[in-house]
Amino acid sequence: MSTTAPEAVAGARKNLAGLLVVPATLFVAIGLIGPLAILFRYSLNKFVPGQFMVDGLVIENYVKFFTDTYYLNVLVRTVRVAVICTLACLIMGFPLAYVLARTQSRFKNLLVIAVVLPLFVGNAVRAAGWMTAFGSKGALNASLMAMGLIDQPLEIMFTENAVLIGIVAVNLPFMVLSLQSVIEGIPRQVEEAAFSLGAAPGAMFRRVLWPLALPGVLAGTILTFILAMNAYATPVLLGGPKFQMMGPLVYGQFAQQNNWPFGGAISFILMTATILLTAVAHLIVQGRYRNR
Amino acid sequence: MSFASHPDDAIRLADVRKQFGDTAALAGVSLKAKPGSFVVLLGPSGCGKSTLLRVLAGLEQATSGTIELSGRDVSRLPPAQRGISMVFQSYALFPHLSVAENIVFGLKARGVPAADRAARLKDAAALVGLGHLLERRPSQLSGGQQQRVALARAIVAQAPICLMDEPLSNLDAKLRNEMRREIRALQQRLKLTMVYVTHDQAEAMSMADQVVLMRDGHVEQDASPAELYARPATRFAATFIGTPPMSLVRLTAGEGGAVLEGAPGHVLAPAQAAGQWLGVRPEEIVLSDAEGLPAGIAGAEFLGGETVLSCVIGTGTQVLQVRVPGLCALPVGTPVRLRLPQTLHLFDDATGRRIEDFPSNLASPFSSKDNATCR
């Protein structure tokens, strides 16, 4: 009896562990995998105008996407915006994250909160605010024109730049927090050791700080890249109707065109592109730093 | 002591100050060290010894004062240009690099050719006994091995001056003693000028040519271990060195000279010494049956090879510690007699400084012949 008791406890533990993961697993299964499976099935259906959706097993929706330059352009634009935004977040976020991680200030917690603060404002609210501020009749143009500094309103809204700025503003906190948590785990003495061994600041960064911060860089870039690839509110509100990205395109097919098969296909192309690009970038970075 | 510049000083600090906000971490430190000497910066935590090392290394900028290393003013130079190598308390190895890459990191950074690098790596690794571990990552090594990597990384640079910040504090006692001897041997073999920070006075005494005892950001005493032990310059120095440290008791005025409270018959110093402090090394006091200062046992601490007795003097409250060889299981309250040595130390009450012209022969009546009485 006494020898079997611990095993019974261990077994109970295992059961408990199983129980604990059930809610989240069920939620993900019902809320994500189920709909995705249905969506994938739909993407192989036919769309006949007027008849909504006709059961079938065809790849014409995917063919349509990859043979129409309009849609390909949307995909390329989306990837370009996501890459630029991710790089911009990394370049601006790294120094900020470094200072946050290394500061001895009493106000460190406040600084971290200040980084997170923009997230308290939803994308849509923020974009709406920008519309009123930077639109052709917005506060900025109105004051500049009233002062006589310009006679034509500056075209800020409804350009790719507006979307880039908008997405960077939304994603920067994610990048900074990912980097900061990793940099905080890198002992300051390691940097000092590099300096005392004769490394210039640039060499120290390249050979010590960057490789050690790489897990944070990967986490941050993956997070911001995925968010940028799937951005919806920002491109719609700041990019305007002519600036199409993948997220709004999916929504348009479902809600406006009622073309569920094609919408499903676009969804899967977006998802696959995101996963593929993330995985490729991950492998390249890991490979480069493993052989050193 | 003069601080005129000597080209043959490896290290010369003149009035180095470091201010962190309102607090002075270094309140004007001046010191010199000869090339090839082993200098230990010793002191309790918060005394500024680590800050001084970091200022020497260039990891902190001194607020004022000059730092000359090998006859060159480096006060404003970054760490890389100071001609120093450094071993950190936490070792600060690069976790993403192999042992070999860790060791040659500095050589790469300084653009040493690859062939030269390989040869120096081999030498350094052999010197610290790491030859077989070069491909490992630091996380796969024991604490002692990591310590050796940090050592190899420092000596491979062949910098004339090596700085070490409590390098042994993370090792267990046995390994620590081993590494102590190894570091000392290495330093002598490579003729390095070593600046070594520790709070462990035994480490300082056993390794150093020159001990710089620090307190509250200034140098309390700068001397050889023997001098520091034999002639502590201040009350603080007296109580910091020794296991157990020197006992300090206050002298009061008595008939015929200065005496200890509770033992009026025993004049220990001239009358003008009343009110000052008397210091006695516990290992120099001898227990006696018949003669000496009357005292009572207040406690005994058995340490294996020896016993440390706390003895209350006469009818008073002041305590002298006595170190006697072997086990000495005297019960509390046992009356004993203490024969004091000829070498007594006297310290000024107000300044804490050593009083030099103290005629120690006044204490001689108590040390006629050795007669240890402990059973």
Side-chain angles (χ1 to χ4, degrees):
Chain A
M1 188 61 208
S2 60
T3 50
T4 55
E7 274 170 32
V9 170
R13 280 246 174 95
K14 212 174 263 176
N15 288 342
L16 180 63
L19 268 173
L20 287 174
V21 300
V22 162
T25 312
L26 269 182
F27 184 77
V28 171
I30 294 170
L32 181 68
I33 298 173
L36 273 182
I38 296 169
L39 203 58
F40 183 65
R41 178 66 195 86
Y42 282 0
S43 75
L44 300 173
N45 280 345
K46 281 186 183 175
F47 176 72
V48 181
Q51 275 182 281
F52 184 53
M53 188 159 68
V54 178
D55 269 355
L57 210 58
V58 295
I59 57 163
E60 63 179 39
N61 296 306
Y62 292 92
V63 173
K64 178 181 170 189
F65 186 93
F66 286 108
T67 49
D68 190 327
T69 49
Y70 174 77
Y71 296 122
L72 281 178
N73 276 337
V74 173
L75 178 62
V76 168
R77 183 183 301 131
T78 304
V79 172
R80 182 177 67 228
V81 166
V83 168
I84 292 173
C85 286
T86 304
L87 289 179
C89 282
L90 184 58
I91 290 167
M92 289 196 284
F94 201 104
L96 176 53
Y98 182 81
V99 171
L100 269 184
R102 290 287 184 242
T103 182
Q104 305 280 327
S105 166
R106 289 182 288 142
F107 304 113
K108 177 171 179 164
N109 287 339
L110 285 180
L111 293 174
V112 174
I113 290 171
V115 169
V116 185
L117 212 54
L119 297 178
F120 283 79
V121 183
N123 293 356
V125 174
R126 183 194 327 233
W130 286 27
M131 290 172 76
T132 61
F134 301 122
S136 53
K137 295 196 173 83
L140 180 70
N141 275 320
S143 15
L144 286 178
M145 283 166 76
M147 284 189 284
L149 292 174
I150 49 172
D151 7 290
Q152 291 293 314
L154 292 176
E155 264 194 57
I156 302 168
M157 290 302 297
F158 308 129
T159 62
E160 182 165 326
N161 288 340
V163 176
L164 287 173
I165 294 169
I167 295 179
V168 168
V170 175
N171 288 1
L172 198 52
F174 294 100
M175 178 67 88
V176 171
L177 292 182
S178 307
L179 287 171
Q180 183 226 345
S181 63
V182 172
I183 294 173
E184 229 159 66
I186 303 172
R188 178 89 179 100
Q189 285 86 339
V190 172
E191 293 169 33
E192 294 179 342
F195 288 135
S196 80
L197 288 167
M204 189 287 284
F205 176 80
R206 212 173 54 249
R207 297 187 53 205
V208 177
L209 191 56
W210 178 260
L212 289 178
L214 212 52
V217 172
L218 279 178
T221 49
I222 288 171
L223 206 55
T224 53
F225 181 74
I226 292 173
L227 285 170
M229 284 289 283
N230 295 283
Y232 178 80
T234 312
V236 167
L237 293 171
L238 298 184
K242 280 182 290 179
F243 186 85
Q244 273 289 3
M245 279 176 66
M246 291 294 274
L249 189 65
V250 172
Y251 177 76
Q253 289 301 322
F254 276 95
Q256 285 151 19
Q257 316 287 330
N258 270 326
N259 190 343
W260 286 25
F262 191 49
I266 300 171
S267 305
F268 269 86
I269 291 164
L270 172 60
M271 203 169 74
T272 313
T274 308
I275 292 173
L276 268 183
L277 289 170
T278 305
V280 167
H282 195 138
L283 287 177
I284 291 173
V285 173
Q286 281 229 319
R288 245 192 88 184
Y289 281 93
R290 190 172 293 154
N291 310 322
R292 282 167 57 97
Chain B
M1 198 185 285
S2 91
F3 286 97
S5 186
H6 285 288
D8 42 305
D9 280 333
I11 299 169
R12 202 181 70 86
L13 304 184
D15 199 28
V16 171
R17 289 168 192 276
K18 177 67 188 176
Q19 203 79 25
F20 289 113
D22 290 338
T23 49
L26 296 176
V29 171
S30 301
L31 64 90
K32 298 191 293 186
K34 287 198 170 57
S37 63
F38 198 115
V39 182
V40 169
L41 303 182
L42 176 67
S45 56
C47 71
K49 57 190 192 298
S50 284
T51 305
L52 181 56
L53 195 77
R54 292 173 59 80
V55 165
L56 261 175
L59 297 172
E60 305 275 2
Q61 281 289 332
T63 310
S64 67
T66 55
I67 302 163
E68 281 180 27
L69 299 180
S70 311
R72 201 163 54 102
D73 186 346
V74 300
S75 312
R76 300 286 145 204
L77 293 184
Q81 292 167 32
R82 293 199 172 192
I84 50 112
S85 57
M86 185 158 178
V87 176
F88 291 80
Q89 181 174 10
S90 58
Y91 313 143
L93 301 179
F94 306 120
H96 59 300
L97 301 179
S98 71
V99 168
E101 289 166 325
N102 261 284
I103 296 175
V104 298
F105 182 95
L107 302 183
K108 266 192 191 167
R110 294 185 195 278
V112 174
D116 196 8
R117 242 166 30 209
R120 281 163 72 172
L121 165 65
K122 208 167 143 247
D123 288 350
L127 215 51
V128 297
L130 275 175
H132 56 299
L133 298 171
L134 289 180
E135 294 313 311
R136 300 262 186 100
R137 290 286 160 109
S139 58
Q140 297 168 302
L141 303 180
S142 69
Q145 289 166 336
Q146 292 185 22
Q147 171 68 69
R148 284 163 204 272
V149 178
L151 270 179
R153 190 174 69 177
I155 60 180
V156 81
Q158 296 176 358
I161 299 171
C162 183
L163 311 178
M164 294 196 175
D165 188 6
E166 309 213 23
L168 304 182
S169 57
N170 293 333
L171 302 179
D172 59 65
K174 185 170 170 287
L175 197 54
R176 190 153 56 217
N177 284 331
E178 226 174 276
M179 290 303 294
R180 234 189 242 177
R181 281 190 293 275
E182 269 185 51
I183 289 177
R184 179 69 166 138
L186 210 58
Q187 177 263 335
Q188 288 177 331
R189 190 158 149 200
L190 301 175
K191 299 189 171 53
L192 291 170
T193 307
M194 183 77 84
V195 182
Y196 185 106
V197 165
T198 184
H199 62 266
D200 180 346
Q201 50 108 359
E203 205 163 282
M205 299 300 272
S206 67
M207 296 175 92
D209 298 314
Q210 177 185 352
V211 178
V212 178
L213 180 65
M214 293 186 66
R215 179 197 184 191
D216 297 338
H218 67 264
V219 174
E220 191 82 3
Q221 187 169 7
D222 178 358
S224 69
E227 169 84 3
L228 192 63
Y229 178 81
R231 298 169 53 78
T234 63
R235 241 161 49 208
F236 174 79
T239 52
F240 201 81
I241 306 294
T243 339
M246 185 181 285
S247 299
L248 284 180
V249 282
R250 188 92 182 261
L251 292 167
T252 50
E255 217 170 295
V259 297
L260 290 179
E261 179 204 348
H266 299 267
V267 174
L268 297 171
Q272 65 265 32
Q276 318 294 21
W277 292 81
L278 181 74
V280 193
R281 292 260 173 229
E283 52 273 36
E284 292 176 343
I285 302 177
V286 178
L287 285 190
S288 161
D289 284 330
E291 47 181 326
L293 216 52
I297 301 289
E301 212 183 328
F302 178 54
L303 300 173
E306 64 211 22
T307 306
V308 175
L309 302 170
S310 297
C311 305
V312 179
I313 305 301
T315 55
T317 55
Q318 301 202 91
V319 173
L320 279 179
Q321 290 200 300
V322 182
R323 207 169 91 184
V324 295
L327 175 61
C328 188
L330 292 175
V332 170
T334 310
V336 290
R337 293 268 181 166
L338 307 179
R339 279 199 282 123
L340 302 190
Q342 286 193 312
T343 51
L344 296 175
H345 310 264
L346 201 61
F347 300 97
D348 189 90
D349 178 56
T351 64
R353 300 213 69 82
R354 181 183 187 83
I355 299 171
E356 293 288 358
D357 51 355
F358 166 50
S360 62
N361 57 347
L362 264 167
S364 63
F366 307 118
S367 53
S368 51
K369 59 180 191 287
D370 271 5
N371 180 21
T373 57
C374 197
R375 287 160 294 268

